[in-house]
Each structure stands twice: as C-alpha cells, then as structure tokens.
C-alpha cells in the first residue's frame, strides 16, 4: 500500500492507464482530497494489508474504493488483457488479520466488485461497508478476476474506524 497523489482526467486514461502508473486515479481522492492509498494485491493471496499500530482490535466501519487508471484502461478498453465480457467480474476481498498481520483462517470476509461485465466498471469513489467483519486488528486484501492478466491494483481512501467511548 502506498500513499499517492497521482491523478489524471478521463481523457488521459490511455496515457496513464498502464502498469507504469499503478498509483494513479481519476480526479483525486475521495471528496476531491489530494491524497489516497493505492493498494497492490494478489489473486488468491494477499499483499496489501492495513493494520492498527497499537495492536488493538477495532471495527472498520467503511472505506471508499475505486479503480486505478490501469484498472479502468483494462476493464473499459482491454489494455493488457481482454476487456470483460458479460458475467465476467473482478472483486476485492477483505479478510481480517490477527494482531501479527496473519490472515485469520475461516474468518468472515467482505467482497467489493471493481468490475461486473463491460458496462458496470467502478469509475468513482464508492463506499464499501466493512462493519459486518466486526472487530479486526487489520485487513488483508486479495483480488479475484476473470483473467490472470487483470491489474491487481485499486485505491482506497477515507477509512472510518469505530473507537469505543471512554
């Protein structure tokens, strides 16, 4: 996961929609913020992970997610692999981790679809409710998709965490 402020307009996707620009999104962070996080995850495994530094479990209520420009270029125009056909999807899976950053076997997961066929591709920041996962020490992200050539990058912003009242 990397903090980024690389942005472009929709008209520049062909230029900034390659693997050289995996940290780029359209028009900035959620609510037009300057920064966001670009996540690189792996199919069937997890690379991108977020954790609480104090090793206390908390409820992550939600976060905002969108495609990076390389995802948009692939899902809309078939850059790097064929564009999706009807019924072909790409989803992110969030899995709770323990206090050591290890995925908890058998834990409930949450999925978010970046792409659901050619006409339903996420192009804007969209709220992803993660509250059903309950208290977590962190989250590991993985991606499943219709092709081995899909980009394993997406972006997150504005993570909302519930803190107990003291």
């Amino acid at each position: 996961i990397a903090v980024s402020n690389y942005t472009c307009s929709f008209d520049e996707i062909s230029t900034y929609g390659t693997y050289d620009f995996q940290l780029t999104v359209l028009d900035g962070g959620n609510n037009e913020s300057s920064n966001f996080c670009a996540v690189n995850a792996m199919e069937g495994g997890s690379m991108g992970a977020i954790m609480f530094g104090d090793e206390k479990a908390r409820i992550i209520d939600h976060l905002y997610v969108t495609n990076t420009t390389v995802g948009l270029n692939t899902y809309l125009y078939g850059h790097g692999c064929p564009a999706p056909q009807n019924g072909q999807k790409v989803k992110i899976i969030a899995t709770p981790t323990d206090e050591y950053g290890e995925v908890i076997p058998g834990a409930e997961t949450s999925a978010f679809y970046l792409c659901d066929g050619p006409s339903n591709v996420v192009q804007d920041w969209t709220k992803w409710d993660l509250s059903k996962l309950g208290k977590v020490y962190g989250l590991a992200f993985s991606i499943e998709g219709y092709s081995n050539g899909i980009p394993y990058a997406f972006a997150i912003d504005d993570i909302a965490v519930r803190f107990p009242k003291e």
Side-chain angles (χ1 to χ4, degrees):
I1 296 178
V3 175
S4 178
N5 62 1
Y6 298 127
T7 65
C8 73
S9 69
F10 191 85
D11 295 338
E12 297 174 303
I13 287 177
S14 63
T15 301
Y16 295 102
T18 68
Y19 286 97
D20 294 330
F21 299 98
Q22 292 186 55
L23 303 178
T24 306
V25 299
L26 292 180
D27 304 324
N30 186 49
N31 290 318
E32 300 178 10
S33 66
S34 298
N35 298 312
F36 53 89
C37 289
V39 180
N40 191 345
M42 287 179 55
E43 183 176 27
S46 61
M47 280 183 66
I50 55 176
M51 293 183 57
F52 298 112
D54 62 4
E55 298 180 354
K56 291 183 181 177
R58 295 185 177 87
I59 294 173
I60 298 175
D61 188 77
H62 64 272
L63 56 78
Y64 286 82
V65 65
T66 194
N67 276 300
T68 60
T69 53
V70 68
L72 288 175
N73 201 16
T74 300
Y75 308 141
L76 295 173
Y77 307 116
H79 174 79
C81 77
Q85 302 300 307
N86 287 332
Q88 293 182 319
K89 302 176 183 192
V90 176
K91 70 179 175 179
I92 311 165
I93 302 163
T95 304
T97 63
D98 63 19
E99 61 270 33
Y100 306 107
E102 299 295 323
V103 168
I104 299 171
E108 183 172 3
T109 62
S110 181
F112 181 90
Y113 287 87
L114 293 171
C115 167
D116 184 357
S119 60
N120 191 9
V121 176
V122 173
Q123 297 181 41
D124 299 308
W125 288 100
T126 306
K127 186 176 181 179
W128 182 8
D129 184 350
L130 296 165
S131 61
K132 76 173 189 169
L133 300 177
K135 287 187 174 183
V136 300
Y137 291 93
L139 293 175
F141 298 103
S142 60
I143 290 183
E144 293 179 6
Y146 64 91
S147 168
N148 288 335
I150 64 165
Y152 296 112
F154 58 94
I156 60 175
D157 203 357
D158 293 339
I159 302 167
V161 178
R162 295 182 192 170
F163 287 89
K165 292 182 181 181
E166 293 185 19

